[in-house]
Amino acid sequence: MAVAVLLTAAIASGCATPAEEETGGRGGSAVGKETGEGRKKVDGAAGALLSPAEKLRHEQAVAKAAQAARVVAARRWGLVQTPLAVPPAPKVKPKITTRQGFEVDGQVSEGLPPVFTTVPVKDRVVFLTIDDGAEKDPELIRMLDELKIPYSAFLSDYLVKEDYAYFKKMQNKGVALHNHTLNHRYLPGLSYEEQKREICGQQSNIEKRYGKRPPLFRPPYGNYNKDTLVAAKSCGVKAVPLWAAEAFPDRMEWREWDKDLHPGDIVLTHFRGRGDWKGSMPDMIRRVMKTITAKGYAVAKLEDYV
């Protein structure tokens, strides 16, 4: 009886994800405790003692309800297809290495951050990343939150400082905020010290504004040299994700010869609006999700893998 009531409540909610159920909602901490004979107390919407089998059934019901809510959101936002459900995050993150041809001298021997365009995974997942911070469209945050599409933001301070609060709202929705330099300059044209100010200055700025020093850094235009990576390492950068495809409201552009997606590909887009391209940010999401979903991929959270 208790399990039946629990499952009914989970389906009726239609919003919470399994992770949210186990953590008591967004931003909460894990509160489940062992209560004997392998049973756990699941707080939040569950609030009942569940065996491992019961817990699995509960999680499956919640996942089904969440996907049903996604169907409704997809219709509301004008998506052609409902985004596919994301598989569970890996228990062990894959080993990231620099893409062949993207190395600099001393890449391995000096332990410089790896530069890559694709995460080595077998799951049919890709990763959505948004650069700079020029357009601050509140509809973008609402759309991606309602659709439960994860994404990562790479921010340049000269644009973000116009409205730090916008990106704080984004962070509060679970979005990771990463480094795209202070002023979006062409880094190989700068001295080592100038590059270090651009990269480390933004590391400190994001930590000050948003409470966390980002582990990921993307150089403007995808251009870098050895000084870039040495400077990035010196201020705590762990990896340098570039991209395999780029999304616009009216098209996709591809790095690879086959003009297609592959497991683990990183998709780039920008905080832009009608003043810069042919459409709004929601238009861009509709375009990129049409491509991703039609090709049988789900969008996963980059930080779960890197």
Side-chain angles (χ1 to χ4, degrees), residues 131 179-181 187 217-224 228 240-243:
D131 276 12
N179 189 333
H180 198 44
T181 72
L187 295 180
F217 159 69
R218 176 176 286 157
Y221 318 107
N223 295 127
Y224 61 96
T228 311
V240 180
L242 298 184
W243 61 92

Side-chain angles (χ1 to χ4, degrees), residues 58-199:
H58 164 64
E59 291 175 347
Q60 290 172 337
V62 172
K64 184 176 180 180
Q67 189 64 6
R70 244 183 171 189
V71 172
V72 175
R75 292 172 184 164
R76 183 163 57 248
W77 287 101
L79 270 65
V80 176
Q81 295 176 282
T82 302
L84 299 178
V86 184
K91 294 181 179 178
V92 178
K93 294 182 179 182
K95 182 180 180 181
I96 306 295
T97 58
T98 294
R99 176 172 172 160
Q100 186 175 1
F102 286 56
E103 309 93 339
V104 299
D105 291 341
Q107 183 83 54
V108 176
S109 62
E110 297 181 32
L112 299 179
V115 182
F116 55 102
T117 60
T118 299
V119 177
V121 298
K122 294 181 179 179
D123 290 336
R124 291 183 69 81
V125 298
V126 296
F127 306 99
L128 180 62
T129 63
I130 311 180
D131 276 12
D132 63 48
E135 183 74 8
K136 301 165 185 68
D137 187 347
E139 290 292 279
L140 173 74
I141 297 178
R142 190 161 71 90
M143 180 184 193
L144 291 173
D145 182 53
E146 291 181 5
L147 290 167
K148 302 304 177 197
I149 296 173
Y151 59 107
S152 305
F154 288 79
L155 305 180
S156 293
D157 188 60
Y158 84 106
L159 295 169
V160 173
K161 66 183 180 182
E162 298 170 356
D163 188 356
Y164 286 121
Y166 174 82
F167 299 95
K168 183 62 179 177
K169 293 175 185 176
M170 194 172 284
Q171 184 187 42
N172 290 342
K173 298 290 186 181
V175 177
L177 308 180
H178 296 294
N179 189 333
H180 198 44
T181 72
L182 288 172
N183 298 295
H184 205 275
R185 300 180 67 186
Y186 175 71
L187 295 180
L190 304 180
S191 68
Y192 171 78
E193 290 300 329
E194 289 171 326
Q195 291 199 49
K196 188 173 181 179
R197 280 195 294 273
E198 282 288 323
I199 301 168

